[in-house]
Amino acid sequence: MSSPCPGAGSRLSLSLGALAALALPAAAQNDPAEGVPAPVRAPEAVAQEAVETVRGEPLPLEAIGPSFVEDMAAVIERQKALGVDYRNDPKSRNGAQGTWNVPSKGSSGAAHSGSKYATNKWGDTRMGIGFGEAVELSGLWVGGHQNEGNWARGVRVHGYLDGQLVASTEWLDSLRADYQWLAVGMDAVDRIEIEARPAYRGMGWYAIDDLTFERGDAEVVVDFEDLPNRAKLTGSGYRGLTWETGTGDFGQGAQDVHAPMTPGDEAAATPPAESEVEGTQGVGPGISPPTLLSDFRGIIRGDAGQFSYPPDTCGAIGPNHFVVAVNLTVGIYDRNTGLNQLVVGLSSFFNTGSFIGDPRVHYDQFEDRWIMIASGFSGDPRIFFAYSLTSDPNGAWFKSVFQVAQGSDSGCWPDYPTLGYDQDGIYTGIFMVGCGMSFFSIDKAPLLTGTPGFGTISAIRGLGFEGALQPCATYGDSGGVYVLSFPGSGSNLRVRQLNGPIATPSFTITNLSVNFAATAPDAPAMGSGTPLDTVDTRLFNAVYRDGAIWTAHTVLDGAGAAARWYEVDTSGPSPTLAQQGTVTDPNLWYYFPSICVNQNGDVVMGFTGSDANTFASAYYTGRKATDPPGQMAPPVLYKAGLAPQNNLDGFGRNRWGDYSLCTLDPQDETRIWTIQEYAQADDIWGTWIAELDPGPPLPETYCQGKLNSLFCLPFLSFNGFGSASSTAAFRIDGNDVVPNEFGILLYGTNGRSNLNFHNGTLCVKAPLTRVLPPKNSGTSGGGLCSGLLRRNFNATIQNGSDPVLTAGQTVNTQWLYRDPGVDSFNDGLTDGLEFQIQP
């Protein structure tokens, strides 16, 4: 029965006499959609810079502990009995009013003069300033702070004297990025209140600069230039003024974990012209994406009563479980069923009543143990540490803490700790806010004894700010853990290797020149009044295997955000760049990527994607070791976002991220798992876990064609991959067939055959389906056997095949064509081709 859809399939009996009646048209053509893919661009050449060495020293014993061992049952009981209010995040509003602050470097815009200004934290709409005595107030410069969608819809000033309102200005109705002078002109006021019209949920942000007044005969201009970023003016008495707590009425009551910290004096590199920035290269339409084997829901906002944001998405696969650690929750899942076995608060897990966050988790395949860390931030400048005693995360754990505000880091506090490991140690890189970057190494050997405990913990301090120091999750022996970073905007990928004993380690540092990377703007998402925060160019994870390091981060591409990845070759005397690529899209923004490599050198990268018409969603892509350099498959949506996200922090940023993770399956080291964030409901983030096979078997030819009347042996070739959704062609070609004759592509899903048929071999096991209409072999070039039969099989998969073909199926194909005079059957056969349909 023929199909009304061109290229669709129909059932075929083993009686193929109908082919003999096919007529030869005047000319033969192949489908124009089945053209040759565009050539692949090779990665740029790179330059290697100088090598230098820095050294570390052990922490004092008094900085370590206390330590204890407990099972998960104790955690569950503590969660029930502890009575901790997990919503009391000191970095969140928690129902408090706004304060006057100099914004952080990452949230700052332009000032009217210099580089500093003040803003109304949390967008409080009624903020006061007291002068201590009557002054003559000339005015102040007012502009928009952060995203335009959050700018106050108007601002005016009320003047008071001895508690009585004496005058009010007109509304300044439209804020702008460039500042406007708000003339106040009040002769005698001792206090003012700045009133703002809200923009979102009772909040509206603005910036003030160069507040100008006369005290006595002296003119005073308050320009904030002598303050550091994130300085809190409220309660400080700055410039002899009373910077009041706000009194506005607004409804954003949820709590955020602060954005990753940056130094106040960090300089941003100037990006090159747009044409010089890495563009839309890096997605290979002929590259097959990883196969999705299983997926299930992870933690969502609200689990275990935790409503913090963003999640800082992190989770790892083990032999029997998937463990998730996010702000402010820990969850354990059955890897085979996705069933949640446990969900508890992060503070309950670590047995602390204080607020902790920025959690990380890994499975240490060397020892079959789980590792988890979290940061105590400014309220408790310690790193919280846990190491399981077995491969079962529901069992016993060793838990402890260590003080990081020591030595040159005294008085500073930890932010954005990372996590890596190798056969010898466990490692974390930390930004010590107010100081610099520090790196800590933990000797694993004492943790593996019958009475586990901390041995040596060493610190390398005083490193410059580099966003994040990412130690590798190490598979095999790297000869010393590698640590990667990307210091701000620029072209410098920094590769460190830890040398020597953990008690007195040293770093060897190599700087690699890569394609320029600049911080991407925040990402639009459907229904989000403020774009989602993409943070900066810091690296989000790093993995070592078989002499190669893989890492990824978010970069500016055109006007949007893209996922950039690198492979570093460590097989030589010093590291070199093997390849790099940027996964981008004309419409979607991709951000917070993480990456992992399997035992075959195949790679998976997961990330968030969104645009103005797409809720924040979870995506993955990947490449096989045999794919062209610098290229990955077209991204695959594996969990669609469902709702808008508007979770604003005190400076008006819509928080998302701050990272994600891909990890290798210890049960099958060809498979990689990823956990990514998506928009689960209105202002509710969710996480979704996926098991992926990045290297499904390549299409394989088998069997043998039938010698034709021109004494040529026809054969099959292919270009691309079979896909249930890709718009790219998957060409299946019959080569060296008789010119200008018709042929039909046969396929089946029941395996291979080796059946004698018409003096040849039928390579496809029945039942068979034929793809119509027939194709003409034409003349592809010179030579006797110049016929070529070509079919875009993706059109067959996607346009109503009968039976229906779906992702994951294995398909066998073979060309059958007319060959008058070869024998009494007058037909020819190619060899067979077997392939798996990808998503």
Side-chain angles (χ1 to χ4, degrees), residues 702-770:
Y702 64 97
C703 197
Q704 182 170 308
K706 175 182 175 181
L707 191 70
N708 62 28
S709 59
L710 301 176
F711 298 98
C712 294
L713 190 64
F715 65 95
L716 279 178
S717 63
F718 63 91
N719 186 281
F721 62 94
S723 170
S725 62
S726 173
T727 58
F730 175 39
R731 299 198 324 259
I732 300 178
D733 293 350
N735 304 273
D736 284 4
V737 302
V738 176
N740 297 314
E741 293 292 346
F742 277 97
I744 287 179
L745 185 67
L746 311 177
Y747 74 88
T749 58
N750 206 29
R752 302 182 181 187
S753 174
N754 194 32
L755 180 68
N756 291 330
F757 179 75
H758 288 197
N759 296 326
T761 302
L762 188 65
C763 303
V764 182
K765 184 178 290 187
L768 304 179
T769 302
R770 57 183 179 175

Side-chain angles (χ1 to χ4, degrees), residues 20 38 62 75 82 87 222 281 298 313 336 368 406 430 552 661 748 810:
E62 59 269 22
V75 175
L82 194 58
R87 299 189 182 196
V222 181
Q281 301 294 321
T313 307
N336 297 313
D368 288 323
Q406 300 278 317
I430 303 171
L661 192 60
T810 298

